[in-house]
Amino acid sequence: ELGNYPHYMLKEIYEQPVAVQRTYSGRIGPTHKSANLLDIKITLPPQLNSIVFLACGTSYYASQIGKYIIERETHIPVRCEYASEFLTSARLFNRQDLVIAISQSGETADTREALLIAKRKGIEVAGLVNVVGSQIARIAGQGMYLHCGAEIGVASTKAFACQVAALIIFMLYLKKHLSSIRVSGDITPAHTPLLEPSPSFPSPQPNQPSSSRLFDPPVTKDVNGQPLEESIVRVCSALRDLPVLMQHVLSNTTTMSTIDEIVAFMKDRKSAIFLGRGIGYPVALEGALKMKEISYIHAEGYPAGEVKHGPIALIDEDMPVFFIVSASDSVVLTKIVNNMEEISTRGGKIITVTDCEPTNSDEKVQAQLKRVRSISAYTISVPCSDLCCSPILFTIPLQLIAYRIAVEKGINPDRPRNLAKSVTVE
Ligand code: F6R
């Protein structure tokens, strides 16, 4: 089954383009531009308060990416809850919420128990699950399978990519149903420019009671003011192009030789920090988790802007700092470059994963790219994609770095110590 691969983890990293294709096939067709989401049946509460994701570990980080994508594209509020903590937060949710469990194995005890708590409260539940017929899939009773194939390596790699792809598809599903979803409460979406009314969600009239602050007339435009149908086509075509871009990362010789250098630099280190902003933040968390569990190097993921509020005290010439720099998020780009400079002036060794492309014609992006490259000791560039898809591309080099360090250190990456593929105890 391993074929020519020395480990399942490496095999599964390389299987990701095909796995992602399997997740969207039948849902996003090769020829038609829009989404055909007929196999997805997730009942949405008639008046939706929020979407709540329940998950653990890597699946939790995928849910944070889902939160970012759904809130950005639909303005529906999303909460990510660690399944193991849901016991204390469950009281905040009711039948106006939709609870979705995200799990590769479908057997994680914490996620299963959290889902049962939600179900017992009469909340509408669903699952994003890989293993067909698993407990979580059966309890959820509705949702989406990832169809990413069996994942054998203990560390989640291709399941993570497929979870993000499934969350993008779920976002499209919400977009398709947006005109019929009524969202309750007074929502000020994060991406609405301050002081400007959102194009899709008009401000409530002062004489309306809060319970009737509904989207009426039906939503026809997305967060960017783009007609909904056009934005669905944009995301569909980005998803369809994604496997080719992923393959590009996996077969890029410059990327591989930079990874060689990073591995040589990292393998005897004790600690590392991973930083990102916006959609790059959960990618940083996932990068740090892979580094910890596979390479046994202590790694912390942090929002890049938070570092100056404490962790910056850790920075000296011995501290490697990974930055996830997304060029397609222009607001975040300038700020994260400032954060990189804060680290660089304190001697931190910067390793950057970016989708800034040297060919990008935007002058401002070009200038930032120059700064990024001059500050970084090592830079890995992945291809540009739609912001929704970029986390999948950013994660691939981080998976490869963790894998390669493990192998260099004589660790079996498929069986890291103290870990099991499914965690069936609470
Ligand atoms: C990390 C990893 C774990 C799992 C977590 C949840 O690489 O694999 O953190 O993501 O145990 O597992 P599932 O998704 O099976 O519920």
Side-chain angles (χ1 to χ4, degrees):
E1 257 206 67
L2 261 176
N4 291 328
Y5 290 98
H7 300 103
Y8 282 105
M9 181 174 175
L10 190 63
K11 178 172 180 266
E12 287 159 4
I13 289 172
Y14 275 84
E15 276 173 0
Q16 291 182 104
V18 173
V20 163
Q21 209 163 15
R22 277 206 298 258
T23 299
Y24 73 64
S25 81
R27 293 162 176 162
I28 312 280
T31 48
H32 59 274
K33 287 189 179 150
S34 194
N36 161 17
L37 307 173
L38 295 180
D39 77 307
I40 305 170
K41 298 226 170 12
I42 299 178
T43 311
L44 302 165
Q47 185 155 320
L48 184 63
N49 193 27
S50 72
I51 294 169
V52 183
F53 289 130
L54 303 175
C56 303
T58 289
S59 301
Y60 178 80
Y61 299 145
S63 83
Q64 286 186 306
I65 292 170
K67 170 184 165 71
Y68 186 95
I69 293 169
I70 292 168
E71 289 187 340
R72 179 174 199 273
E73 296 275 345
T74 70
H75 291 185
I76 297 169
V78 178
R79 283 188 60 147
C80 301
E81 297 286 318
Y82 280 115
S84 56
E85 289 293 318
F86 193 59
L87 207 54
T88 37
S89 58
R91 65 181 185 284
L92 301 176
F93 306 108
N94 59 39
R95 286 163 197 242
Q96 291 187 358
D97 301 297
L98 169 67
V99 165
I100 301 188
I102 305 181
S103 175
Q104 185 287 128
S105 62
E107 302 294 340
T108 302
D110 288 322
T111 311
R112 180 197 62 214
E113 290 309 302
L115 187 63
L116 283 169
I117 293 171
K119 208 171 167 177
R120 278 188 212 116
K121 285 185 66 148
I123 298 174
E124 196 68 62
V125 298
L128 294 189
V129 176
N130 190 38
V131 177
V132 175
S134 54
Q135 286 193 71
I136 291 171
R138 280 184 279 129
I139 294 166
Q142 60 172 355
M144 276 172 80
Y145 280 119
L146 305 179
H147 297 307
C148 76
E151 192 177 64
I152 312 282
V154 160
S156 177
T157 52
K158 65 175 179 176
F160 172 79
C162 294
Q163 284 166 340
V164 175
L167 285 159
I168 296 171
I169 292 166
F170 176 56
M171 177 276 286
L172 292 173
Y173 178 84
L174 292 169
K175 269 195 186 223
K176 281 207 143 191
H177 292 76
L178 211 47
S179 51
S180 58
I181 302 174
R182 302 179 147 231
V183 179
S184 60
D186 182 4
I187 297 159
T188 311
H191 288 268
T192 305
L194 283 179
L195 305 175
E196 275 177 38
S198 151
S200 355
F201 304 122
S203 306
Q205 296 306 305
N207 58 353
Q208 282 183 311
S210 66
S211 61
S212 65
R213 290 171 181 174
L214 306 176
F215 301 144
D216 198 17
V219 181
T220 53
K221 298 209 168 146
D222 83 348
V223 56
N224 308 310
Q226 203 178 14
L228 273 185
E229 198 52 39
E230 270 177 40
S231 67
I232 291 173
V233 169
R234 164 180 58 85
V235 176
C236 284
S237 87
L239 251 185
R240 232 186 358 257
D241 293 344
L242 185 61
V244 171
L245 302 183
M246 295 168 78
Q247 196 54 55
H248 182 82
V249 177
L250 288 163
S251 53
N252 187 301
T253 48
T254 314
T255 300
M256 294 310 144
S257 58
T258 311
I259 289 178
D260 287 345
E261 291 170 26
I262 296 169
V263 170
F265 169 73
M266 282 298 302
K267 71 178 178 13
D268 299 318
R269 306 270 152 182
K270 294 268 172 291
S271 195
I273 297 179
F274 285 71
L275 303 177
R277 289 183 89 121
I279 207 163
Y281 166 51
V283 174
L285 293 173
E286 173 59 6
L289 179 58
K290 289 284 103 77
M291 185 71 81
K292 282 185 268 232
E293 64 176 341
I294 301 301
S295 328
Y296 305 164
I297 294 174
H298 170 248
E300 293 246 23
Y302 246 92
E306 270 295 302
V307 170
K308 56 186 174 297
H309 299 288
I312 201 159
L314 292 168
I315 305 298
D316 61 16
E317 327 42 73
D318 289 327
M319 181 60 84
V321 184
F322 287 76
F323 270 93
I324 315 304
V325 180
S326 168
S328 28
D329 198 339
S330 55
V331 180
V332 159
L333 182 61
T334 315
K335 292 185 191 291
I336 201 162
V337 177
N338 293 340
N339 299 142
M340 294 173 87
E341 275 168 354
E342 289 157 12
I343 299 293
S344 164
T345 52
R346 285 156 182 92
K349 198 77 158 185
I350 295 182
I351 301 164
T352 300
V353 182
T354 178
D355 59 356
C356 297
E357 278 188 344
T359 50
N360 192 314
S361 55
D362 184 319
E363 267 177 35
K364 276 195 198 146
V365 173
Q366 278 291 349
Q368 300 292 8
L369 168 65
K370 250 187 160 169
R371 286 171 75 200
V372 166
R373 287 200 174 262
S374 65
I375 299 167
S376 307
Y378 307 99
T379 306
I380 294 177
S381 292
V382 299
C384 289
S385 176
D386 191 87
L387 190 62
C388 296
C389 298
S390 64
I392 297 179
L393 295 166
F394 285 132
T395 309
I396 297 172
L398 302 177
Q399 295 167 338
L400 284 169
I401 291 168
Y403 168 81
R404 289 279 317 283
I405 296 171
V407 173
E408 286 286 322
K409 290 171 81 167
I411 298 165
N412 179 353
D414 287 342
R415 297 180 139 261
R417 70 185 170 214
N418 310 334
L419 284 168
K421 184 65 186 159
S422 334
V423 183
T424 51
V425 287
E426 281 182 77

